[in-house]
Amino acid sequence: MDLFEHQAKELFARHGVAVPRGRVAWTPEEAESVAAELGGTVVVKAQVQVGGRGKAGGIKLAGNPAEARANAERIIGMDIKGHVVRRVLVEEASQIAAEYYVSILHDRAGKGFLAMASAEGGVEIEEVAARDPGAIVRVPVNPLAGLRPYHVNQLVYGAGFDPRAHRGAAEILTRLYDVLIAADCMLVEVNPLVLTADGRVKALDGKVTLDDSALYRHPDLVELRDTFAVDPQEQAAKERGLNYIKLDGWVGIIGNGAGLVMSTLDVVAQAGGKAANFLDVGGGASAETMASGLEVILSDGKVRSVLVNIFGGITRGDLVARGILDALDRLGDQVRVPLVVRLDGTNAEEGRELLAKSPSDKVVTAATMLEAAAKAVELAGATRGGE
């Protein structure tokens, strides 16, 4: 679960991480009131769970409360990369002398944590990694030992932080590790971590990803989810117990097993398409599960075709086929896009026979994953005239 910036900063502040004074506002009037309380120049920042807010015009300076209100009026309601802005963070402006990047995250490959730092903050860290990998210092951290002072020194000295920032950055890194452990986070990130003109170091931005599987231990953090704008497809999938993630493409994807679904996304991209979602129906999908999955995907107006890629181990091909046919009957005229189905493994032949007898002209079968992906991309183009 990703937190909004203001929620991340509230969590940081609980653990002593220095952050600018500020408060979230849901209306322009609230933004004006907060700016009046803070006094001086403030920053009005769109609260969306996606990067690139500044480039999209979602971060603006305001010299007085009236200007803060005007900026909030412009920002609230904006669409930033498909995310509608429903609130803004109004906080005191900072005189920035230098910008840095710091983060601590779970490192599955290393079976521990990974702490990172860079003197090139304030920009997308992916850009820095691609342009100059050496500009990012990476320090593995053993969870049994924790983040030690020598780790912190490796980060701040190795990344070339201004000497004036060493002490403050070291303190914030230590406290960020406390946040990571205390809240069961997958990621804590500050970009930028800033050195101000008067020599203070503080988190000007904040990103936190919580481990969903540990939320039962944090009822206070679960409550934060109530303020999220939930995507209707993702909400419908959650209610049906489906593992669904919405993406920004036009080929719907259903598979059984996360590895197979990820491979299917790659093959669709190789065929020139773009996946609309990730949907894993699991290892023992029933006809009801398949029908529910199709209903969720077909409710997305951007979907132009659906690729069902099933390898039958526990999942039987005939049950998958019955689920598809059941969904077609249930949805009726709502099914306006072709369904490309690739079945392999247990009872795959029986499943293909059932699909072949379907009166619907929307069902297309394929023998291999590559063939299925190519057909799905081709039919998607034929349905809406390509992308």
Side-chain angles (χ1 to χ4, degrees), residues 58-343:
I59 299 177
K60 295 184 179 296
L61 284 171
N64 55 62
E67 193 175 346
R69 174 175 177 157
N71 286 339
E73 287 176 346
R74 296 187 190 98
I75 294 173
I76 294 174
M78 284 180 62
D79 185 304
I80 301 178
K81 297 182 180 179
H83 295 251
V84 177
V85 180
R86 305 185 186 280
R87 69 191 97 170
V88 293
L89 175 61
V90 181
E91 64 182 19
E92 61 184 357
S94 300
Q95 294 293 324
I96 300 172
E99 296 182 319
Y100 308 114
Y101 170 92
V102 294
S103 68
I104 310 172
L105 64 152
H106 274 242
D107 178 17
R108 288 190 174 90
K111 299 180 181 179
F113 301 132
L114 182 66
M116 298 193 294
S118 175
E120 297 189 37
V123 297
E124 297 286 343
I125 195 63
E126 293 81 7
E127 295 178 10
V128 177
R131 173 172 39 83
D132 184 9
I136 303 173
V137 176
R138 298 171 173 84
V139 176
V141 178
N142 186 326
L144 297 178
L147 186 74
R148 312 305 296 172
Y150 66 87
H151 291 136
V152 174
N153 288 338
Q154 283 180 274
L155 292 163
V156 298
Y157 286 95
F161 284 15
D162 187 304
R164 293 175 296 164
H166 285 176
R167 183 173 181 175
E171 181 178 339
I172 284 181
L173 275 164
T174 301
R175 295 183 185 277
L176 286 176
Y177 185 79
D178 292 340
V179 174
L180 183 86
I181 299 302
D184 288 306
C185 304
M186 300 299 292
L187 166 73
V188 291
E189 177 183 275
V190 177
N191 186 22
L193 178 74
V194 299
L195 171 67
T196 63
D198 58 3
R200 291 180 295 161
V201 177
K202 55 187 175 181
L204 207 61
D205 198 354
K207 181 177 180 180
V208 170
T209 300
L210 302 175
D211 183 353
D212 286 359
S213 62
L215 284 176
Y216 71 95
R217 299 197 294 209
H218 306 283
D220 58 323
L221 298 178
V222 174
E223 291 176 3
L224 297 178
R225 182 177 278 157
D226 294 339
T227 68
F228 293 1
V230 180
D231 178 86
Q233 279 85 39
E234 292 187 351
Q235 181 62 32
K238 183 180 179 181
E239 291 171 357
R240 291 167 168 80
L242 299 172
N243 185 10
Y244 172 92
I245 300 172
K246 187 172 181 178
L247 304 174
D248 58 356
W250 59 90
V251 178
I253 305 292
I254 297 180
N256 60 324
L260 181 61
V261 179
M262 292 298 292
S263 298
T264 307
L265 266 62
D266 289 341
V267 173
V268 166
Q270 182 181 337
K274 200 170 185 181
N277 66 276
F278 172 108
L279 198 159
D280 173 16
V281 295
S286 63
E288 178 62 29
T289 303
M290 285 301 306
S292 296
L294 281 170
E295 285 182 310
V296 170
I297 289 178
L298 293 173
S299 68
D300 183 351
K302 294 181 180 179
V303 171
R304 303 177 188 176
S305 67
V306 178
L307 170 53
V308 180
N309 187 17
I310 301 293
F311 183 82
I314 299 173
T315 305
R316 287 167 38 190
D318 57 328
L319 287 180
V320 173
R322 291 183 192 282
I324 293 170
L325 297 176
D326 182 31
L328 291 174
D329 289 339
R330 186 185 304 180
L331 297 173
D333 293 339
Q334 297 179 50
V335 183
R336 301 181 181 278
V337 302
L339 310 179
V340 180
V341 184
R342 178 254 183 174
L343 297 177

Side-chain angles (χ1 to χ4, degrees), residues 32-76:
E32 183 178 25
S33 176
V34 175
E37 291 175 17
L38 294 173
T41 303
V42 298
V43 185
V44 182
K45 307 172 76 175
Q47 296 298 284
V48 287
Q49 295 161 314
V50 65
R53 295 175 299 169
K55 294 178 181 177
I59 299 177
K60 295 184 179 296
L61 284 171
N64 55 62
E67 193 175 346
R69 174 175 177 157
N71 286 339
E73 287 176 346
R74 296 187 190 98
I75 294 173
I76 294 174

